[in-house]
Amino acid sequence: MAENKITRHPLPDLSIPEMRHEHADVNVWAIGKVAIALILVTIASVFLMFGVFRYFELRENAGQEPRPAGASINAGKLPPEPNIIYNENEAGNLQQIRRGEEQLLNSYSWVDRQHGVVRIPIGRAIDLLTERGIPPRPQSEAGVAPRAQPEPSPQQEPSPQQEPGAQQDQAK
């Protein structure tokens, strides 16, 4: 067996500039070869992934029949309206939806007649909020002590000229 002999080298003379650093520490050519190999493996893996995706795409499309160029869409196979996949009259449908929304926002109607809940126009609701203010929220027992709430005003019988929304707000 080989013996482990400790060989002692004399300390370098630091007055000589060539002796101040190690010349055999880094093998630059080996690091360069590893960098070149890493670049080549990265490029090869990119091409390999493109090939795999192309294979899966062809395999997926092989089971499907190609659609003829002049084929029309069968309305019996489309999902029910409103159809976001295929909509011949999209602009007209959008206008119809907007008209319905405007009607809800700007008209009076009953939401729940049994409980006296009505829908009032958004402009009137904003006016009522500015007149009466937003009621304070109840505070939780774990939080800060609740603020003093204002005295409720005596409820008046609504006059026939008031809107139905005012009747509902006074009932609360």
Side-chain angles (χ1 to χ4, degrees):
M1 291 235 165
E3 296 180 12
N4 289 336
K5 294 182 180 178
I6 300 175
T7 57
R8 302 222 170 177
H9 298 287
L11 293 175
D13 182 13
L14 298 179
S15 62
I16 303 171
E18 294 171 359
M19 298 291 282
R20 292 185 187 165
H21 64 87
E22 193 71 42
H23 292 281
D25 277 348
V26 177
N27 187 351
V28 177
W29 177 241
I31 292 175
K33 288 193 288 188
V34 169
I36 291 171
L38 184 63
I39 291 170
L40 292 176
V41 167
T42 303
I43 292 171
S45 66
V46 167
F47 284 117
L48 181 67
M49 290 311 302
F50 278 126
V52 168
F53 282 130
R54 180 70 178 150
Y55 168 74
F56 285 141
E57 182 181 12
L58 291 175
R59 185 174 161 195
E60 180 71 23
N61 293 335
Q64 299 175 0
E65 295 179 17
R67 183 179 281 182
S72 63
I73 295 176
N74 184 359
K77 293 185 177 182
L78 292 176
E81 292 293 330
N83 185 353
I84 58 174
I85 295 173
Y86 178 74
N87 192 350
E88 291 176 350
N89 192 13
E90 186 172 353
N93 291 346
L94 181 60
Q95 289 175 355
Q96 182 182 4
I97 290 170
R98 295 268 167 89
R99 278 194 302 268
E101 290 174 345
E102 287 295 321
Q103 181 185 9
L104 283 176
L105 288 174
N106 297 317
S107 65
Y108 293 95
S109 64
W110 286 101
V111 175
D112 187 0
R113 190 177 289 254
Q114 290 178 341
H115 295 99
V117 180
V118 295
R119 180 179 295 119
I120 61 173
I122 189 77
R124 179 66 181 141
I126 292 171
D127 292 341
L128 288 173
L129 275 177
T130 54
E131 289 173 11
R132 299 177 184 171
I134 298 175
R137 292 189 301 185
Q139 297 291 326
S140 65
E141 293 180 21
V144 182
R147 293 185 232 156
Q149 296 190 5
E151 293 286 324
S153 61
Q155 294 190 3
Q156 302 173 0
E157 286 295 316
S159 65
Q161 296 162 345
Q162 286 183 330
E163 291 95 0
Q167 292 174 7
Q168 178 219 6
D169 291 333
Q170 289 178 358
K172 286 185 178 178

